[in-house]
Amino acid sequence: MIAQGKVFKYGTNVDTDVIIPARYLNTAVAEELAAHCMEDIDPDFIHQVEPGDIIVAGANFGCGSSREHAPIAIKASGISCVIAPSFARIFYRNAINMGLPILECPEAAEFAQSGDRLTIDFDSGIVRNETRKTECRAKAFPDFIKKIMAADGLTGYIAAKRASAE
Amino acid sequence: MGMTMTQKILAAHAGLDQVESGQLIEAKLDLVLGNDVTAPPAIDIFNQTGAADVFDREKVVLVPDHFTPNKDIRSAEHCAVMRRFARTMELPHYYEQGEKTMGVEHVILPENGLVAPGDAIIGADSHTCTYGALGAFATGVGSTDLACAMVTGETWFRVPEAIRVELRGQLSPHVGGKDLILFLIGMIGVDGALYQSLEFTGPGVASLSMAERLTICNMAIEAGGKNGIFPVDDRTLDYLRQYAPERFDKQQYTVWTADDDASYVRTIEIDLAEVPLTVSFPHLPDNTKTVGSFDPVVIDQVVIGSCTNGRLEDMRLAARYLKGRQVAKGLRLIILPGSQRVWTESLKEGLLEIFADAGAVISAPTCGPCLGGHMGILAANERCVSTTNRNFVGRMGHPKSEVYLAGVAVACASAVLGRIASPTELEEVLS
């Protein structure tokens, strides 16, 4: 699987309250959530994002609340992947469960700037910065998580497990 | 190799003698929890799986507390999804507004006797880690994890490494568990315990009340922690005897202790006597400062309550500082007892009258303003001192508003003086 797009760059500790403010959590409709994605730190994001674009951020991306609305909003906005040196653990789980690809890459913060174009090969974990002609390697998913991703998220994984048990 | 307390609980629930950090396991769960924000999407997913019933009616807990009493039509519709599901599935642990056992989820689960030492609990709310105070493993997950756990009664975990927090001595007067956890987060950072357990230990533990331990574990997530956990001691068992008498009498709980040779990524030693009154400045919980060390910060609002500091002990403490005093002119003090039980006890003990006399708004139990839901939203450029757990951009309202996190003592002193203040100042200024 390959993803390609331009970069939206953010700092460290991007929390779920700025990814999708709680005042919008009285809905779980993906498109409605996406309309407010990142608005408290980057009101332009939702107007500039195009399908395939990539968020590159500093450490501890997705810290804070357990709201699955955060990866849902990011995915529905068109973002194809989030790259950061580390992710908050609930966000990490939620992103996998929702099928939003996220890659841990220690040098992510220095590797790309806003507007750079990246190509990501999920099988090899190689991220290529087309604008700067550089490459870096991200950590691949462990096998167990690959299985969840292959089943298109945890719901599919559980359904398959139930089917095989019956 | 030895195991930490958390690892032992996880091993027991995975049916394994031994686990090690980094290992992926599937564990059986004693309790799964959802609220009015996270349960409705989980119910959708639950229905998609084709499951006819939850894995165990006694072990699924649903709590409407974030946008309740329903703040608007959309919130009402959200809550209605959960209400209907609870009714259809005949879930005994659905807590409706106004019931004697209702309230903010992490206040009522321990109060209603649903948590005991050795339990493994997940909740679709990041502050589920609160229950580590009782020597249980508890951690926050998202709606999909909640849905799948409602079907199977199991979930997957990556066995965490641990930080050992060795406590000694006793907290100084006016300083509480909230100051300790803010101080610790300030020390290690909002990702200082990322993916890890915070295991509290040492002779200082005995001096901390259960309410303080609940406050401390509640905020383990604010250091990125997977869970926070306290050893089980006499105070834990007294608490269990009071709130979960049946489980206590039948000894339906397990006391785990860390092995002597358990491995920790680091050990942090804290002399409780050296923990200062601490405030987290905007916009991260680790942006801590010692009260008295900064220029005056004038404030517009004070919030006392939440799953962090909405327990009866917190209300008693607030009454102690507010008795016979007045909220500063033009400032809003909003007090939210964390549960109907806390509210009723506060009424019986005369605390609510003290709050009303001081000029406070007294709310029904709700998460309300903590997450910027309702009941105290901030305008641009307004500042609030809050006993809640997060001060992110826009957390309590306008993205240009500011939240300063503190314990109950500092919150009360600040409400009376109209600026961030210590309880000692309160006594000096007014005497």
Side-chain angles (χ1 to χ4, degrees):
Chain A
M1 196 170 99
I2 302 277
Q4 275 187 318
K6 68 173 182 297
V7 168
F8 286 85
K9 178 83 182 283
Y10 299 107
T12 55
N13 303 313
V14 172
D15 62 74
T16 55
D17 275 272
V18 298
I19 296 171
I20 180 68
R23 57 186 177 274
Y24 303 119
L25 295 186
N26 52 8
T27 177
V29 178
E31 292 70 28
E32 290 181 36
L33 293 169
H36 301 289
C37 189
M38 311 303 279
E39 74 174 25
D40 282 0
I41 54 165
D42 184 3
D44 295 330
F45 170 80
I46 201 61
H47 305 294
Q48 294 172 351
V49 67
E50 294 170 292
D53 284 352
I54 293 155
I55 289 178
V56 177
N60 200 28
F61 186 89
C63 63
S65 142
S66 69
R67 64 191 67 159
E68 208 157 274
H69 312 64
I72 291 173
I74 292 175
K75 195 178 174 193
S77 75
I79 290 289
S80 65
C81 181
V82 184
I83 307 176
S86 62
F87 291 88
R89 62 159 285 278
I90 305 178
F91 182 89
Y92 185 89
R93 266 185 100 98
N94 286 347
I96 289 162
N97 288 343
M98 299 316 299
L100 169 69
I102 52 173
L103 290 178
E104 280 182 314
C105 181
E107 59 264 54
E110 299 82 44
F111 178 70
Q113 297 306 321
S114 280
D116 288 1
R117 296 203 71 84
L118 304 187
T119 304
I120 302 168
D121 181 337
F122 288 106
D123 297 324
S124 65
I126 290 174
V127 184
R128 187 169 164 71
N129 188 327
E130 308 289 356
T131 308
R132 291 166 204 274
K133 311 290 178 213
T134 50
E135 269 187 7
C136 73
R137 185 178 284 272
K139 210 156 92 184
F141 285 132
D143 285 343
F144 178 80
I145 291 173
K146 275 186 190 154
K147 273 190 226 164
I148 294 178
M149 289 294 240
D152 198 26
L154 190 64
T155 318
Y157 178 73
I158 296 291
K161 252 182 100 168
R162 276 166 55 83
S164 69
E166 275 162 14
Chain B
M1 200 178 70
M3 291 190 283
T4 65
M5 197 174 161
T6 298
Q7 289 169 352
K8 284 192 176 175
I9 297 173
L10 288 175
H13 285 80
L16 300 169
D17 295 330
Q18 182 80 33
V19 295
E20 55 186 65
S21 56
Q23 188 176 345
L24 289 159
I25 56 162
E26 286 189 287
K28 292 203 182 305
L29 300 166
D30 297 300
L31 211 62
V32 303
L33 161 74
N35 60 48
D36 54 312
V37 168
T38 59
I43 290 163
D44 269 353
I45 299 162
F46 179 92
N47 291 333
Q48 284 167 36
T49 66
D53 210 344
V54 297
F55 78 104
D56 185 337
R57 279 175 209 166
E58 292 291 336
K59 294 183 177 177
V60 176
V61 184
L62 295 178
V63 184
D65 57 359
H66 279 59
F67 291 100
T68 53
N70 303 344
K71 104 170 166 107
D72 55 19
I73 294 169
R74 305 196 72 161
S75 309
E77 296 290 346
H78 238 200
C79 289
V81 169
M82 193 161 89
R83 233 166 243 138
R84 277 196 297 273
F85 183 79
R87 212 171 288 150
T88 312
M89 294 291 162
E90 297 173 9
L91 300 180
H93 300 300
Y94 169 79
Y95 297 99
E96 192 53 271
Q97 298 292 295
E99 273 185 54
K100 284 191 173 65
T101 46
M102 66 77 76
V104 172
E105 50 193 340
H106 309 309
V107 176
I108 64 171
L109 263 62
E111 273 184 8
N112 292 345
L114 299 179
V115 181
D119 285 356
I121 300 169
I122 63 165
D125 187 278
S126 58
H127 295 108
T128 301
C129 51
T130 307
Y131 315 131
L134 279 87
F137 169 79
T139 193
V141 297
S143 296
T144 302
D145 280 320
L146 167 63
C148 296
M150 288 198 299
V151 177
T152 63
E154 294 177 9
T155 198
W156 65 272
F157 293 114
R158 182 183 165 280
V159 177
E161 298 169 317
I163 295 176
R164 181 180 150 100
V165 185
E166 171 97 20
L167 306 174
R168 61 171 192 279
Q170 278 200 340
L171 292 168
S172 309
H174 304 303
V175 177
K178 181 63 164 288
D179 298 288
L180 169 58
I181 188 64
L182 293 179
F183 180 72
L184 176 62
I185 295 165
M187 190 189 293
I188 66 175
V190 289
D191 60 351
L194 196 58
Y195 307 126
Q196 297 167 343
S197 307
L198 280 172
E199 298 213 344
F200 296 90
T201 177
V205 166
S207 70
L208 297 170
S209 69
M210 287 310 292
E212 284 177 313
R213 296 180 199 184
L214 289 158
T215 301
I216 292 164
C217 285
N218 174 273
M219 289 192 73
I221 179 69
E222 308 315 332
K226 181 169 198 146
N227 66 314
I229 195 163
F230 271 88
V232 176
D233 63 8
D234 291 345
R235 282 197 193 224
T236 326
L237 296 178
D238 284 346
Y239 185 94
L240 199 66
R241 187 187 294 123
Q242 185 181 350
Y243 291 103
E246 205 179 312
R247 285 189 75 174
F248 179 82
D249 289 342
K250 292 184 183 165
Q251 297 194 339
Q252 289 170 336
Y253 60 90
T254 313
V255 177
W256 295 99
T257 51
D259 287 325
D260 291 338
D261 62 341
S263 126
Y264 298 90
V265 287
R266 64 191 282 204
T267 294
I268 296 167
E269 291 180 28
I270 297 178
D271 179 352
L272 295 175
E274 287 174 9
V275 175
L277 287 168
T278 304
V279 172
S280 295
F281 272 48
H283 289 285
L284 282 174
D286 66 4
N287 190 16
T288 52
K289 294 183 203 272
T290 298
V291 177
S293 73
F294 45 82
D295 292 336
V297 177
V298 176
I299 53 170
D300 303 283
Q301 177 168 299
V302 170
V303 168
I304 297 174
S306 84
C307 61
T308 315
N309 282 114
R311 299 185 177 80
L312 186 58
E313 289 83 346
D314 298 307
M315 297 300 125
R316 286 176 181 155
L317 199 58
R320 196 179 111 198
Y321 289 111
L322 293 172
K323 188 167 187 179
R325 292 178 171 141
Q326 282 297 309
V327 168
K329 185 75 183 158
L331 182 140
R332 293 103 59 184
L333 168 60
I334 300 167
I335 301 181
L336 307 102
S339 70
Q340 190 78 346
R341 192 191 308 244
V342 172
W343 202 101
T344 312
E345 282 301 315
S346 299
L347 177 73
K348 285 185 194 156
E349 293 184 16
L351 312 181
L352 299 187
E353 192 174 356
I354 292 171
F355 300 158
D357 284 345
V361 175
I362 304 163
S363 165
T366 176
C367 304
C370 171
L371 76 159
H374 60 146
M375 287 300 295
I377 304 304
L378 299 173
N381 305 314
E382 285 193 328
R383 295 198 185 108
C384 176
V385 169
S386 182
T387 69
T388 55
N389 42 52
R390 289 196 176 122
N391 55 352
F392 299 151
V393 170
R395 174 72 179 180
M396 200 177 275
H398 196 282
K400 287 199 175 123
S401 62
E402 294 183 344
V403 176
Y404 295 75
L405 302 176
V408 172
V410 169
C412 290
S414 305
V416 173
L417 296 175
R419 58 180 167 81
I420 300 178
S422 77
T424 335
E425 275 180 277
L426 190 63
E427 283 155 17
E428 285 164 6
V429 170
L430 300 176
S431 64

Short mmCIF file of all heavy atoms in Angstrom, two decimals, chain B residues 309-333:
data_model
loop_
_atom_site.label_atom_id
_atom_site.label_comp_id
_atom_site.label_asym_id
_atom_site.label_seq_id
_atom_site.Cartn_x
_atom_site.Cartn_y
_atom_site.Cartn_z
N ASN B 309 -11.57 15.61 41.20
CA ASN B 309 -11.76 16.18 42.54
C ASN B 309 -13.23 16.46 42.86
O ASN B 309 -13.57 17.54 43.35
CB ASN B 309 -10.98 17.49 42.68
CG ASN B 309 -9.49 17.28 42.92
OD1 ASN B 309 -8.66 17.62 42.09
ND2 ASN B 309 -9.15 16.68 44.05
N GLY B 310 -14.10 15.50 42.59
CA GLY B 310 -15.52 15.72 42.88
C GLY B 310 -16.05 14.81 43.98
O GLY B 310 -17.25 14.55 44.06
N ARG B 311 -15.15 14.31 44.83
CA ARG B 311 -15.58 13.36 45.87
C ARG B 311 -15.95 14.09 47.16
O ARG B 311 -15.68 15.28 47.32
CB ARG B 311 -14.48 12.32 46.10
CG ARG B 311 -14.20 11.54 44.85
CD ARG B 311 -13.22 10.40 44.95
NE ARG B 311 -13.19 9.79 43.62
CZ ARG B 311 -12.48 10.29 42.60
NH1 ARG B 311 -11.70 11.34 42.78
NH2 ARG B 311 -12.54 9.73 41.41
N LEU B 312 -16.56 13.35 48.09
CA LEU B 312 -17.04 13.97 49.32
C LEU B 312 -15.91 14.66 50.08
O LEU B 312 -16.07 15.77 50.60
CB LEU B 312 -17.72 12.91 50.21
CG LEU B 312 -18.38 13.44 51.48
CD1 LEU B 312 -19.44 14.50 51.14
CD2 LEU B 312 -19.01 12.30 52.27
N GLU B 313 -14.72 14.03 50.11
CA GLU B 313 -13.57 14.65 50.79
C GLU B 313 -13.24 16.00 50.16
O GLU B 313 -12.85 16.92 50.87
CB GLU B 313 -12.34 13.74 50.68
CG GLU B 313 -12.41 12.47 51.52
CD GLU B 313 -13.18 11.34 50.84
OE1 GLU B 313 -13.90 11.59 49.85
OE2 GLU B 313 -13.09 10.20 51.33
N ASP B 314 -13.40 16.09 48.83
CA ASP B 314 -13.12 17.36 48.14
C ASP B 314 -14.15 18.41 48.54
O ASP B 314 -13.82 19.58 48.72
CB ASP B 314 -13.14 17.15 46.62
CG ASP B 314 -12.07 16.18 46.15
OD1 ASP B 314 -10.89 16.38 46.50
OD2 ASP B 314 -12.40 15.20 45.46
N MET B 315 -15.41 17.99 48.67
CA MET B 315 -16.47 18.92 49.06
C MET B 315 -16.23 19.41 50.50
O MET B 315 -16.39 20.58 50.81
CB MET B 315 -17.84 18.24 48.95
CG MET B 315 -18.22 17.82 47.54
SD MET B 315 -18.30 19.20 46.38
CE MET B 315 -17.17 18.64 45.10
N ARG B 316 -15.83 18.46 51.36
CA ARG B 316 -15.55 18.84 52.76
C ARG B 316 -14.41 19.84 52.83
O ARG B 316 -14.44 20.80 53.60
CB ARG B 316 -15.21 17.59 53.58
CG ARG B 316 -16.41 16.74 53.88
CD ARG B 316 -15.98 15.47 54.61
NE ARG B 316 -17.13 14.62 54.90
CZ ARG B 316 -17.06 13.30 55.07
NH1 ARG B 316 -15.88 12.70 54.99
NH2 ARG B 316 -18.14 12.61 55.33
N LEU B 317 -13.40 19.57 52.01
CA LEU B 317 -12.24 20.46 51.99
C LEU B 317 -12.65 21.85 51.49
O LEU B 317 -12.28 22.87 52.06
CB LEU B 317 -11.18 19.84 51.05
CG LEU B 317 -9.75 20.32 51.19
CD1 LEU B 317 -9.24 20.08 52.61
CD2 LEU B 317 -8.86 19.57 50.19
N ALA B 318 -13.45 21.86 50.44
CA ALA B 318 -13.92 23.15 49.89
C ALA B 318 -14.69 23.91 50.95
O ALA B 318 -14.51 25.13 51.12
CB ALA B 318 -14.78 22.90 48.65
N ALA B 319 -15.54 23.21 51.69
CA ALA B 319 -16.35 23.87 52.73
C ALA B 319 -15.45 24.45 53.82
O ALA B 319 -15.70 25.53 54.35
CB ALA B 319 -17.35 22.89 53.31
N ARG B 320 -14.38 23.71 54.13
CA ARG B 320 -13.46 24.17 55.16
C ARG B 320 -12.86 25.53 54.77
O ARG B 320 -12.73 26.42 55.60
CB ARG B 320 -12.35 23.13 55.32
CG ARG B 320 -11.55 23.27 56.59
CD ARG B 320 -10.50 22.18 56.68
NE ARG B 320 -9.17 22.75 56.54
CZ ARG B 320 -8.08 22.06 56.24
NH1 ARG B 320 -8.17 20.77 56.01
NH2 ARG B 320 -6.92 22.65 56.17
N TYR B 321 -12.51 25.68 53.50
CA TYR B 321 -11.88 26.94 53.05
C TYR B 321 -12.90 28.03 52.74
O TYR B 321 -12.58 29.21 52.80
CB TYR B 321 -11.01 26.68 51.81
CG TYR B 321 -9.76 25.90 52.13
CD1 TYR B 321 -9.59 24.58 51.69
CD2 TYR B 321 -8.75 26.47 52.91
CE1 TYR B 321 -8.45 23.87 51.99
CE2 TYR B 321 -7.60 25.76 53.22
CZ TYR B 321 -7.46 24.45 52.75
OH TYR B 321 -6.33 23.74 53.06
N LEU B 322 -14.12 27.64 52.40
CA LEU B 322 -15.10 28.65 51.98
C LEU B 322 -15.99 29.12 53.12
O LEU B 322 -16.66 30.14 53.02
CB LEU B 322 -15.98 28.10 50.85
CG LEU B 322 -15.27 27.85 49.52
CD1 LEU B 322 -16.19 27.11 48.56
CD2 LEU B 322 -14.77 29.17 48.90
N LYS B 323 -15.99 28.38 54.24
CA LYS B 323 -16.91 28.69 55.34
C LYS B 323 -16.71 30.13 55.82
O LYS B 323 -15.60 30.54 56.17
CB LYS B 323 -16.69 27.72 56.49
CG LYS B 323 -17.74 27.89 57.57
CD LYS B 323 -17.74 26.75 58.56
CE LYS B 323 -18.94 26.96 59.47
NZ LYS B 323 -19.08 25.91 60.46
N GLY B 324 -17.80 30.88 55.81
CA GLY B 324 -17.76 32.25 56.32
C GLY B 324 -17.05 33.22 55.39
O GLY B 324 -16.81 34.37 55.76
N ARG B 325 -16.71 32.77 54.18
CA ARG B 325 -16.01 33.65 53.24
C ARG B 325 -16.87 33.90 52.01
O ARG B 325 -17.86 33.20 51.77
CB ARG B 325 -14.68 33.02 52.83
CG ARG B 325 -13.72 32.99 54.02
CD ARG B 325 -12.41 32.33 53.67
NE ARG B 325 -11.48 32.55 54.77
CZ ARG B 325 -10.62 31.64 55.22
NH1 ARG B 325 -10.56 30.45 54.65
NH2 ARG B 325 -9.81 31.91 56.21
N GLN B 326 -16.48 34.89 51.23
CA GLN B 326 -17.25 35.26 50.04
C GLN B 326 -16.40 35.12 48.79
O GLN B 326 -15.22 35.51 48.78
CB GLN B 326 -17.70 36.72 50.15
CG GLN B 326 -18.90 36.94 51.07
CD GLN B 326 -20.14 36.24 50.56
OE1 GLN B 326 -20.52 36.40 49.40
NE2 GLN B 326 -20.76 35.43 51.41
N VAL B 327 -17.02 34.62 47.75
CA VAL B 327 -16.38 34.57 46.44
C VAL B 327 -16.10 36.02 46.00
O VAL B 327 -16.92 36.90 46.24
CB VAL B 327 -17.32 33.86 45.44
CG1 VAL B 327 -16.85 34.04 44.01
CG2 VAL B 327 -17.45 32.40 45.79
N ALA B 328 -14.94 36.26 45.39
CA ALA B 328 -14.58 37.61 44.95
C ALA B 328 -15.66 38.18 44.02
O ALA B 328 -16.24 37.44 43.21
CB ALA B 328 -13.23 37.58 44.21
N LYS B 329 -15.89 39.48 44.14
CA LYS B 329 -16.93 40.15 43.36
C LYS B 329 -16.67 39.94 41.86
O LYS B 329 -15.56 40.18 41.37
CB LYS B 329 -16.89 41.65 43.69
CG LYS B 329 -17.98 42.47 43.05
CD LYS B 329 -19.32 42.26 43.72
CE LYS B 329 -20.41 43.04 43.00
NZ LYS B 329 -21.74 42.47 43.28
N GLY B 330 -17.69 39.48 41.16
CA GLY B 330 -17.57 39.33 39.71
C GLY B 330 -17.01 37.99 39.26
O GLY B 330 -16.98 37.70 38.07
N LEU B 331 -16.55 37.18 40.21
CA LEU B 331 -16.00 35.86 39.84
C LEU B 331 -17.10 34.81 39.96
O LEU B 331 -17.95 34.90 40.85
CB LEU B 331 -14.83 35.54 40.78
CG LEU B 331 -14.09 34.22 40.53
CD1 LEU B 331 -12.60 34.41 40.72
CD2 LEU B 331 -14.60 33.09 41.43
N ARG B 332 -17.08 33.82 39.05
CA ARG B 332 -18.04 32.72 39.15
C ARG B 332 -17.37 31.51 39.76
O ARG B 332 -16.37 31.02 39.23
CB ARG B 332 -18.55 32.31 37.76
CG ARG B 332 -19.40 33.33 37.03
CD ARG B 332 -18.65 34.04 35.94
NE ARG B 332 -18.11 33.16 34.92
CZ ARG B 332 -17.35 33.61 33.92
NH1 ARG B 332 -17.02 34.89 33.82
NH2 ARG B 332 -16.89 32.76 33.03
N LEU B 333 -17.90 31.01 40.86
CA LEU B 333 -17.43 29.75 41.44
C LEU B 333 -18.51 28.70 41.17
O LEU B 333 -19.65 28.86 41.58
CB LEU B 333 -17.20 29.89 42.95
CG LEU B 333 -16.98 28.57 43.71
CD1 LEU B 333 -15.77 27.81 43.21
CD2 LEU B 333 -16.85 28.83 45.22
#
